[in-house]
Amino acid sequence: MIMTDFQDNARAALIEFVEQNPGGVLASHPQSGDFPEAAWIDLAVSATAGGGEPGEIVFGTDRRSRKALNIGARPEVSLVVVSGRGQEIQVEALARVLGGEDSARAGEAIAAAHPEGGGDPDYVCVVGLEPKWVRWVDMSTMPPTMQDFEV
């Protein structure tokens, strides 16, 4: 992946990067207190209902977790995904708990991307991210590159 991918279609490039690197650190606003909560999450890309869009970034969590409670109170989150090869994306997004067909489709994508995952099915909720802003960083180039994109 190179920066021109983001310049041509930032949303599609973001989706492709997450498909290739399906995990990251999500930071959410706490319900109370001064410090944000950050946690590793397993990511997946779920197909959209119409199939015309490049997909939706999704993850599963326990509805009793701090991140789920935080998202319920304030949907603004930040996400960092790294490639391990010098590239990373930083994302600002709105998070929402999915329901119905969207939840089922996302759950299938998460299970396919992370077959070792799971959790108590009585408490799992599926969350979709709506990216608003992305920063692409590539430290493998000389000079290193960084650029911001509205999504």
Side-chain angles (χ1 to χ4, degrees):
M1 174 139 327
I2 53 177
M3 186 180 303
T4 55
D5 296 335
F6 279 86
Q7 291 168 334
D8 292 341
N9 186 338
R11 180 166 171 73
L14 169 62
I15 294 297
E16 180 183 340
F17 191 82
V18 169
E19 286 176 325
Q20 294 172 1
N21 306 282
V25 175
L26 182 89
S28 57
H29 296 282
Q31 292 184 66
S32 60
D34 295 328
F35 294 97
E37 193 259 339
W40 178 266
I41 56 172
D42 289 333
L43 298 165
V45 174
S46 176
T48 57
E53 294 292 316
E56 180 175 27
I57 300 169
V58 296
F59 66 93
T61 189
D62 188 307
R63 71 180 75 252
R64 302 166 297 182
S65 69
R66 290 193 320 168
K67 80 177 88 45
L69 297 172
N70 292 348
I71 288 168
R74 288 191 62 188
E76 303 91 354
V77 298
S78 296
L79 173 69
V80 176
V81 179
V82 298
S83 69
R85 297 173 304 281
Q87 298 88 17
E88 73 176 52
I89 56 165
Q90 302 165 17
V91 182
E92 292 177 353
L94 295 177
R96 63 185 171 83
V97 175
L98 302 177
E101 289 181 24
D102 289 339
S103 178
R105 200 170 25 258
E108 290 171 6
I110 294 166
H114 303 280
E116 73 288 351
D120 186 337
D122 291 337
Y123 295 103
V124 170
C125 66
V126 179
V127 178
L129 299 177
E130 181 185 341
K132 299 296 184 182
W133 171 89
V134 175
R135 172 171 285 158
W136 165 253
V137 179
D138 190 345
M139 298 301 288
S140 70
T141 62
M142 283 301 182
T145 56
M146 178 177 69
Q147 191 164 353
D148 299 348
F149 300 92
E150 300 293 322
V151 180

